[in-house]
């Protein structure tokens, strides 16, 4: 507890680590399809507005809270509001980390297995045959041992990175993996666009189709702008707590948001140019990644290499997100309980892996845990965290800044490390209030949908 706090080695290292957390499988399997289906560039425009109005102020709020207190979530709330109930918002974040990483680790394992299958050339049997690809995927995820083996491997890599600390683990690996992701995505996008018909993807993704833009598309854009920036569980508080006081928070946050958005757009171009060039149907989520793409890649000359490159960068995107989740848990035990890094990482990384085993088994017939909402344990963990825990955490953090910390103190923290720009407290209050209201609305909308069977909007 009394050891000096670790800090990032450089500003670039911090920006790459934070954008590494933000850039995850959400950028690659959710955003492109959402944009294509909901109005192309018109959707992207709304999404950018959401990111700037809701996302930016909450990212900066988390960074500032972390840097000010030099503590991870629970400690950060306690430092500013000692003895109050606000510490529970911090605990909610640590709890969300447990829930998210348990199933994220399983998906990370699937991605590793698919990288390996592609490398071995196994996708060649799936050429142009999405049914076969779908059968392969289903039999893999519902089997007992194979997914557990890969999940274990993925979690061991996560634990290895986090045991090595902020500079020697998170920063070092983010500095290697983030540039690799960008370079390979650019190559894949060029490869896709130069295929006959590859340019169709640009129309799908970027042609403004205002007629496809519905109220529910706006709700989607809002929810996604929050999710894609990894907000609401204190990841950015934790990463901010390793900042020194001379960093410009606004500038760093803009970099993180910019990189997150650019990578989502590049992924969209890379994936859909290939899918359209080969006449496949675009799908979303796991179906796009594990079914459509494996049946499409082998049709390309050199498809084994393209497929492997794609799954390897997807693995990197998943890993840089997963380590940021594990770091929230580890940092709690270091900051609040005075544990060593190695002890807290191995113990809690291990517990999360065990919970993940249940997530994985719940997809097969062997251990059919169906929860009261009629979904598998795996889906339940996903639902609970992305629809409730994260939005509630983000909303309460914005309220905390306005009601308890005070916007003036927050703005003072923002001005530290910034030379010229003056930020107005009124503007910050307005943005944070909009952020809290909007996120609150998304939660209500979901509750309505679950209880009454229809959403308020959507
Ligand atoms: N931002 C990640 C993605 O786009 C997903 C995510 C949501 C996340 N909340 C998080 C990642 C918290 C790390 C920590 O896939």
């Amino acid at each position: 507890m009394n050891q000096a706090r670790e800090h990032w080695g450089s500003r670039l290292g911090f920006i790459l680590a934070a954008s590494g957390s933000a850039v995850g499988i959400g950028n690659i399997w959710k955003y492109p399809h959402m944009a294509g289906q909901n109005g192309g560039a018109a959707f992207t425009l709304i999404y950018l507005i959401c990111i700037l109005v809701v996302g930016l102020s909450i990212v900066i709020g988390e960074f500032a809270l972390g840097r000010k207190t030099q503590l991870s979530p629970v400690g950060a709330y306690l430092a500013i509001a000692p003895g109050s109930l606000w510490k529970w918002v911090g605990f909610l974040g640590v709890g969300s980390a447990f829930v998210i990483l348990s199933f994220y680790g399983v998906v990370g394992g699937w991605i590793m297995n698919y990288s390996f299958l592609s490398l071995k050339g196994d996708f060649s049997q799936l050429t142009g045959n999405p049914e076969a690809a779908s059968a392969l995927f289903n039999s893999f995820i519902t089997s007992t041992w194979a997914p557990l083996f890969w999940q274990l491997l993925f979690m061991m890599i996560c634990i290895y990175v986090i045991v090595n600390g902020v500079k020697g683990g998170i920063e070092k690996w983010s500095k290697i993996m983030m540039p690799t992701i960008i370079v390979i995505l650019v190559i894949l996008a060029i490869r896709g666009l130069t295929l006959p018909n590859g340019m169709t993807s640009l129309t799908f993704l970027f042609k403004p189709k205002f007629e496809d833009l519905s109220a529910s598309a706006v709700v989607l854009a809002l929810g996604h702008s929050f999710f894609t920036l990894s907000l609401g569980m204190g990841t950015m508080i934790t990463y901010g707590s390793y900042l020194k006081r001379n960093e410009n928070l606004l500038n760093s946050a803009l970099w993180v948001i910019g990189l997150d958005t650019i990578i989502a757009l590049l992924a969209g171009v890379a994936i859909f140019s290939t899918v359209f060039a080969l006449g496949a149907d675009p799908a979303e989520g796991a179906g796009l990644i594990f079914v459509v793409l494996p049946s499409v890649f082998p049709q390309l000359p050199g498809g084994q290499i393209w497929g492997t490159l794609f799954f390897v960068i997807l693995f990197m995107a998943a890993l840089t997100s997963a380590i940021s989740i594990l770091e929230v848990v580890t940092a709690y035990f270091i900051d609040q309980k005075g544990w060593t890094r190695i002890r807290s990482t191995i113990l809690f990384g291990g517990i999360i892996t065990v919970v993940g085993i249940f997530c994985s088994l719940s997809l097969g017939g062997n251990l059919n845990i169906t929860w009261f909402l009629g979904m598998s344990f795996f889906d339940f963990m996903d639902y609970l965290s992305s629809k409730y825990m994260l939005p509630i955490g983000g909303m309460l953090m914005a309220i905390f800044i306005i009601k308890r910390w005070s916007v003036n103190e927050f703005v003072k923290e923002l001005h530290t490390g910034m030379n010229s720009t003056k930020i107005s407290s009124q503007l910050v209050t307005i943005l944070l209030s909009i952020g809290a209201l909007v996120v609150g609305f998304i939660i209500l909308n979901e509750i309505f949908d679950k209880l009454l069977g229809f959403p308020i909007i959507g």
Side-chain angles (χ1 to χ4, degrees), residues 17-45:
S19 50
S21 169
V23 172
I25 48 185
N27 294 60
I28 297 175
W29 88 16
K30 271 203 187 140
Y31 172 77
H33 189 268
M34 241 182 224
Q37 289 297 316
N38 292 289
F43 178 84
T44 300
L45 193 72

Side-chain angles (χ1 to χ4, degrees), residues 7 27 52 54 84 102 124 139 185 203 213 232 247 258 265 285 306 380 386 417 419 446 454:
H7 286 105
N27 294 60
L52 286 175
V54 179
S84 71
S102 64
S124 58
S139 85
L185 265 184
T203 324
L213 196 64
E247 228 49 82
L265 295 178
W306 301 119
F380 174 71
S386 61
N419 359 8
E446 184 60 35
F454 59 90

